[in-house]
Amino acid sequence: MAIINQATKELQVKIVYYGTALGGKTTNLVQVHDHVQTTQGGKGKLVSLATSSDRTLFFDFLPIEAMAIKGFKTKFQLYTVPGQVIYNTTRQLVLRGVDGVVFCADSQYEKMQENMESFQNLQENLRALKLNLEEIPYVIQYNKRDLPNVAPVEYMDFLLNNREVQ
């Protein structure tokens, strides 16, 4: 749940980018960091803990301060989780206190099974935290649409978008 601090007049929102290994989560944060327009000093440093092969080892973090809403400073904390299954404990830790999820699906046909497993893992990890995906705002983002061997959006919707999120 978003943190509202009446004393400091701040609203903090945590958004987690979740998905398969090399599915575009870190690339999303890099693009947001490069293109976001904020007030002076409102964009924090992108912190990325990656391996030598550019794979996220622990998580990426990008703090952004947005415009004020009804007198409250709005701060977004954007995180990614590692896509590799062996880092499931880290995924659970990063999900704690989540307010919204961006599920990054790799559009390549050969990644469909991994996409479905990662989406199922997201739901399991949320349940372990006493959360339910049906009660959290989320977006499904189909990445890598520019590659030659991509599944049609309708097929990906059939596999992943059972709530018909648009």
Side-chain angles (χ1 to χ4, degrees):
M1 177 181 278
I3 298 171
I4 300 171
N5 187 328
Q6 294 286 348
T8 62
K9 294 283 209 183
E10 288 183 357
L11 169 66
Q12 292 184 22
V13 179
K14 181 177 183 179
I15 300 172
V16 175
Y17 286 73
Y18 207 99
T20 64
L22 301 174
K25 300 174 300 294
T26 299
T27 300
N28 268 274
L29 259 58
V30 169
Q31 290 299 310
V32 169
H33 184 264
D34 289 349
H35 293 93
V36 73
Q37 302 283 324
T38 64
T39 57
Q40 189 72 357
K43 177 169 59 174
K45 182 180 179 189
L46 175 59
V47 177
S48 185
L49 301 172
T51 63
S52 58
S53 63
D54 268 347
R55 295 181 79 166
T56 300
L57 179 61
F58 192 60
F59 64 85
D60 301 310
F61 172 66
L62 174 62
I64 298 174
E65 186 175 314
M67 65 182 159
I69 299 174
K70 295 192 177 190
F72 282 77
K73 284 185 193 173
T74 308
K75 294 185 176 185
F76 292 94
Q77 298 175 344
L78 307 180
Y79 289 85
T80 66
V81 297
Q84 301 88 323
V85 177
I86 60 170
Y87 297 117
N88 194 52
T89 302
T90 302
R91 291 175 178 180
Q92 290 175 345
L93 289 171
V94 174
L95 279 172
R96 284 189 183 166
V98 68
D99 297 305
V101 173
V102 177
F103 184 81
C104 298
D106 188 322
S107 292
Q108 299 174 88
Y109 267 113
E110 60 270 16
K111 296 293 187 171
M112 291 305 118
Q113 184 65 35
E114 287 178 54
N115 286 331
M116 291 186 308
E117 289 169 2
S118 185
F119 195 73
Q120 180 66 38
N121 177 257
L122 167 63
Q123 293 176 6
E124 291 167 2
N125 283 337
L126 288 171
R127 276 193 296 274
L129 296 169
K130 308 266 190 278
L131 298 170
N132 183 341
L133 192 58
E134 298 300 318
E135 299 166 359
I136 298 173
Y138 73 93
V139 173
I140 301 174
Q141 178 177 308
Y142 299 149
N143 290 340
K144 302 187 179 189
R145 300 296 305 161
D146 57 332
L147 297 178
N149 188 29
V150 298
V153 170
E154 296 79 11
Y155 180 63
M156 295 184 73
D157 279 345
F158 174 76
L159 296 177
L160 299 169
N161 191 5
N162 39 3
R163 211 171 70 167
E164 298 186 15
V165 176
Q166 299 295 322

